[in-house]
Amino acid sequence: MTLLHDAGPSLGLQDFRLLRDLVNRFCGIYFADDSAYIVERRLRERLRELGIDTFEEYYRYLQYHPRAEAELEAAAEVLTTNETYFFREAYQLRAFADEILPAVRARALSRGAKRLDIWSAGCSSGEEVYTIAMLIDSTGFFEGWDVRVFGNDISRRVLRKARSATYGRASFRAMIPDYERYFIDTEEGKQVHPRIRSMCHFGHLNLMNERRAAIVGRVDVTFCRNVLIYFDDASRRKVLDTIYQRLNRGGYLLLGHSESLLHSSTAFEIAQLTTDIAYRRPLPYTDLPPRRS
Ligand SMILES: C[S@@+](CC[C@H](N)C(=O)[O-])C[C@H]1O[C@@H](n2cnc3c(N)ncnc32)[C@H](O)[C@@H]1O
């Protein structure tokens, strides 16, 4: 049975399921049967590039070819959704700036460390990373601190864009005018100010590879927004476990507005903020304030 009959090789249901499961094991993204046409359309580009005529042959390539790993990355590249923009979900960013940053700052100071580490897991082309750095800078709370915002993504294409730090109009659709001061006009578009860029670091990472995720070190806050919605439950649980391991105790996790940890992790506690909820890695018992009797 074939699923579609337009130009290019057709993806039968059996091959679709084999490819879908391979991609899922590799990067966590899961395509239900009714989105087979998306996989067919997007992967045709890969078949063309490799001079492969059928999806059956492509599946064999992904399993046995010496370049299989690199090709899985290329497949993930075309199958991921990279939509992002500056100041996405402003109410959540406000809670981050007004409530989470002061809490994290107080905790770092209690440890005698003027160091702040934030991780954007699945950062796409970098707008989220630079937004976080602009928010941190604008609080004025962290002058003289060692501040690092790490952005990781499985797509090398979006990381190249992130490092260029230069953006067109679509990235500014939710821009807050106050923060325009952090951009410089160039011929290619608006470029993030060097001071903000110097706080931000980008690296390639497949979140399903928990051993490689150790390169991130320990962080105070993780943003993993609009990434796990494309994953199946088991992969989501796996990545949440990695995120938990990378968070300092008392550190925060922020998910996208339509996402929750329900059914995925019981390790985190809920941090009730004024306009939002976040998740938190619990403090060790000994660090908790004494109970009032
Ligand atoms: C929709 S974008 C979200 C970007 C940003 N976090 C935001 O909310 O605006 C999802 C990003 O997750 C990345 N991604 C998907 N699976 C991944 C994986 N296994 N490891 C790392 N990044 C992944 C995609 O490449 C894509 O750039």
Side-chain angles (χ1 to χ4, degrees):
M1 184 186 94
T2 55
L3 297 164
L4 269 187
H5 302 281
D6 55 354
S10 300
L11 176 57
L13 188 58
Q14 197 184 340
D15 286 336
F16 161 71
R17 286 183 176 156
L18 289 170
L19 281 167
R20 179 262 307 278
D21 292 346
L22 202 59
V23 166
N24 174 245
R25 281 196 298 279
F26 176 66
C27 68
I29 295 172
Y30 182 79
F31 291 91
D33 285 357
D34 62 359
S35 46
Y37 70 98
I38 300 176
V39 174
E40 181 184 65
R41 208 181 52 224
R42 293 190 187 173
L43 285 184
R44 274 181 184 160
E45 184 186 322
R46 295 306 314 147
L47 271 67
R48 241 189 337 267
E49 180 113 344
L50 296 169
I52 289 178
D53 294 330
T54 64
F55 279 101
E56 194 185 340
E57 196 187 331
Y58 185 59
Y59 176 68
R60 277 201 301 276
Y61 187 105
L62 286 176
Q63 284 212 302
Y64 304 116
H65 197 277
R67 283 197 66 264
E69 171 89 16
E71 183 50 35
L72 268 170
E73 266 189 29
E77 185 91 55
V78 295
L79 291 172
T80 49
T81 303
N82 307 116
E83 155 115 349
T84 186
Y85 43 92
F86 290 107
F87 292 92
R88 186 174 196 173
E89 290 161 33
Y91 67 95
Q92 188 180 41
L93 297 169
R94 191 73 3 260
F96 165 70
D98 293 349
E99 298 181 65
I100 293 180
L101 281 179
V104 166
R105 181 176 184 272
R107 185 145 174 83
L109 287 175
S110 76
R111 291 195 305 258
K114 286 192 166 183
R115 180 174 176 151
L116 175 69
D117 292 292
I118 313 279
W119 181 24
S120 163
C123 66
S124 190
S125 39
E127 288 90 330
E128 181 173 84
V129 173
Y130 293 124
T131 297
I132 294 166
M134 288 183 249
L135 286 165
I136 294 170
D137 186 82
S138 67
T139 63
F141 292 157
F142 295 94
E143 266 163 41
W145 283 51
D146 189 2
V147 177
R148 286 173 222 193
V149 189
F150 302 99
N152 295 121
D153 204 281
I154 197 170
S155 160
R156 294 180 197 272
R157 179 178 50 82
V158 292
L159 289 171
R160 275 196 295 279
K161 171 138 174 85
R163 290 194 182 100
S164 82
T166 308
Y167 298 95
R169 281 182 52 184
S171 299
F172 293 92
R173 72 191 86 151
M175 188 62 189
I176 300 179
D178 242 19
Y179 292 85
E180 298 274 5
R181 66 184 195 277
Y182 288 111
F183 290 87
I184 299 162
D185 285 323
T186 72
E187 277 182 13
E188 289 77 35
K190 286 181 183 292
Q191 189 168 63
V192 180
H193 193 282
R195 191 170 85 240
I196 297 299
R197 288 177 73 176
S198 69
M199 296 160 67
C200 301
H201 309 269
F202 295 96
H204 179 255
L205 178 70
N206 179 354
L207 287 167
M208 290 293 280
N209 187 339
E210 69 269 43
R211 241 170 8 92
R212 281 272 300 149
I215 57 165
V216 174
R218 283 300 189 92
V219 298
D220 302 297
V221 183
T222 298
F223 285 73
C224 188
R225 304 192 304 169
N226 310 301
V227 178
L228 300 178
I229 35 169
Y230 302 105
F231 285 33
D232 66 312
D233 283 347
S235 309
R236 200 177 293 136
R237 273 197 291 276
K238 183 173 159 135
V239 172
L240 285 167
D241 187 52
T242 300
I243 288 175
Y244 184 87
Q245 299 305 332
R246 304 273 38 99
L247 272 178
N248 282 322
R249 291 175 194 276
Y252 292 80
L253 165 64
L254 294 165
L255 297 174
H257 75 106
S258 60
E259 304 170 85
S260 90
L261 290 188
L262 209 68
H263 312 305
S264 303
S265 174
T266 52
F268 294 86
E269 60 188 16
I270 289 181
Q272 188 65 55
L273 307 169
T274 311
T275 55
D276 197 14
I277 62 156
Y279 299 94
R280 191 166 47 205
R281 177 170 174 163
L283 288 169
Y285 187 64
T286 47
D287 281 18
L288 293 173
R291 259 187 202 204
R292 293 216 190 111
S293 49

